[in-house]
């Protein structure tokens, strides 16, 4: 795939695929890439698909227009880097190191699919927790202070069928906000944590031990563990004490 020379339009299309696309490795010729849009959007989206030099086909359903392309290498690359299925998509860490214009194009592409903009407020939605965290870090890298909220969902009826719906993650940020609950200092984004709740599942957490400083990364956030606030610090090993807090 022409990733090394992908243009801004190509990164925008990748963002659009993250929001409204999928891959199917069961199809012939090594797999299929699909981008979905509303029937009213098809005319506007079709020219933008040329940002990827692959051949697209078009099919129309009652509620949407689907653009399909066969490209085995691109399917493998998308799956390896950005995942598959709505709840399995993610944004790899290397994206955060791209040029600013590429990061902006990627985020704009996603917002065009699963986003909302009201002049000041931006909101992106996804059912993938990993993708929500990636979108937050992507928007933060562009100078925004971003929050994530989880909207629990319940089974719904669609055309007489009961459909189980996954929880929706809402990634939100406001430009020119009147009150600052988060800020940037020395290239580090600081945000207020409203509450901490235990998680029912075991999570992989990375420990950053630098010069006796015990910090951790959870959900893309660095959490500093202060070893000096406990009355029991005394002469006990601070590394074990830090883990206990």
């Amino acid at each position: 795939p022409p990733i090394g020379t992908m243009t801004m339009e190509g990164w925008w299309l990748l963002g659009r695929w993250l929001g409204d696309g999928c891959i199917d490795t069961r199809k012939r010729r090594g797999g299929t890439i699909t981008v979905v849009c509303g029937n009213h959007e098809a005319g506007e989206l079709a020219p933008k698909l040329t940002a990827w030099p692959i051949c697209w086909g078009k099919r129309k359903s009652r509620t949407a227009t689907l653009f399909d392309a066969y490209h085995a290498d691109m399917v493998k690359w998308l799956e390896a880097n950005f995942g598959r299925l709505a709840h399995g998509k993610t944004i790899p860490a290397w994206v955060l190191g791209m040029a600013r214009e590429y990061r902006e194009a990627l985020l704009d592409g996603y917002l065009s699919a699963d986003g909302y903009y009201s002049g000041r407020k931006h909101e992106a939605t996804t059912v993938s927790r990993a993708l929500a965290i990636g979108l937050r870090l992507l928007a933060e890298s562009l100078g925004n202070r971003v929050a994530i909220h989880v909207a629990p969902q319940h089974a719904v009826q669609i055309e007489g069928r009961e459909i189980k719906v996954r929880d929706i993650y809402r990634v939100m940020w406001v430009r020119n906000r009147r009150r600052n609950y988060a800020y940037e200092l020395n290239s580090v984004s600081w945000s207020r944590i409203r509450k901490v709740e235990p998680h029912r599942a075991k999570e992989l957490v990375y420990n950053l031990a630098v010069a006796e400083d015990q910090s951790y990364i959870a959900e893309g956030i660095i959490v500093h563990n202060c070893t000096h606030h406990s009355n029991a610090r005394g002469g006990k090993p601070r590394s074990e004490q830090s883990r206990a807090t």
Side-chain angles (χ1 to χ4, degrees):
I3 302 306
T5 57
M6 195 148 70
T7 62
M8 286 178 56
E9 292 76 15
W11 290 112
W12 183 94
L13 182 56
L14 179 54
R16 180 76 189 207
W17 175 85
L18 274 172
D20 269 344
C22 62
I23 54 175
D24 190 343
T25 57
R26 299 171 299 175
K27 294 289 183 71
R28 56 179 179 168
R29 303 182 210 171
T32 306
I33 306 167
T34 300
V35 178
V36 185
C37 68
N39 290 326
H40 65 286
E41 300 177 283
E44 181 182 356
L45 180 60
K48 297 180 179 180
L49 297 174
T50 59
W52 290 354
I54 54 182
C55 184
W56 295 91
K58 178 181 177 181
R59 54 193 172 98
K60 190 174 181 179
S61 69
R62 183 172 60 84
T63 59
T65 297
L66 297 87
F67 294 94
D68 301 307
Y70 298 104
H71 199 292
D73 289 339
M74 194 68 168
V75 167
K76 291 178 182 178
W77 185 81
L78 288 172
E79 183 176 17
N81 289 274
F82 297 90
R84 59 179 301 176
L85 304 177
H87 62 281
K89 289 180 179 176
T90 187
I91 292 179
W94 57 260
V95 165
L96 304 176
M98 297 194 308
R100 182 183 180 90
E101 59 267 28
Y102 294 157
R103 285 179 280 135
E104 289 177 339
L106 180 64
L107 185 58
D108 287 344
Y110 189 90
L111 291 174
S112 75
D114 276 340
Y116 167 79
Y117 174 65
S118 64
R120 291 179 62 245
K121 180 181 178 181
H122 292 71
E123 180 175 330
T125 58
T126 176
V127 295
S128 167
R129 176 169 168 253
L131 182 56
I133 294 171
L135 289 169
R136 177 182 188 173
L137 294 175
L138 181 60
E140 286 272 358
S141 76
L142 296 170
N144 304 292
R145 305 287 79 83
V146 187
I148 298 179
H149 299 286
V150 183
Q153 302 295 302
H154 306 284
V156 297
Q157 292 282 338
I158 299 179
E159 297 185 346
R161 295 178 298 168
E162 185 175 281
I163 306 296
K164 293 182 178 179
V165 183
R166 296 179 182 273
D167 291 345
I168 296 177
Y169 295 86
R170 300 169 60 203
V171 184
M172 297 176 289
W173 63 98
V174 177
R175 296 186 185 276
N176 302 318
R177 63 170 62 246
R178 297 181 179 89
R179 296 181 180 178
N180 288 323
Y181 297 109
Y183 60 94
E184 180 180 350
L185 179 64
N186 297 328
S187 299
V188 176
S189 297
W190 294 90
S191 300
R192 183 179 65 177
I193 303 298
R194 291 186 176 182
K195 60 182 178 179
V196 178
E197 297 179 344
H199 199 280
R200 289 178 292 178
K202 292 183 178 180
E203 296 291 340
L204 181 62
V205 179
Y206 296 92
N207 178 19
L208 305 179
V210 181
E212 299 185 358
D213 177 287
Q214 298 288 330
S215 297
Y216 297 84
I217 294 180
E219 296 188 343
I221 301 171
I222 297 178
V223 182
H224 174 62
N225 220 355
C226 179
T227 61
H228 294 279
H229 70 274
S230 170
N231 292 330
R233 61 187 178 130
K236 294 183 179 181
R238 291 199 294 174
S239 60
E240 291 301 322
Q241 192 174 355
S242 176
R243 285 171 173 79
T245 58

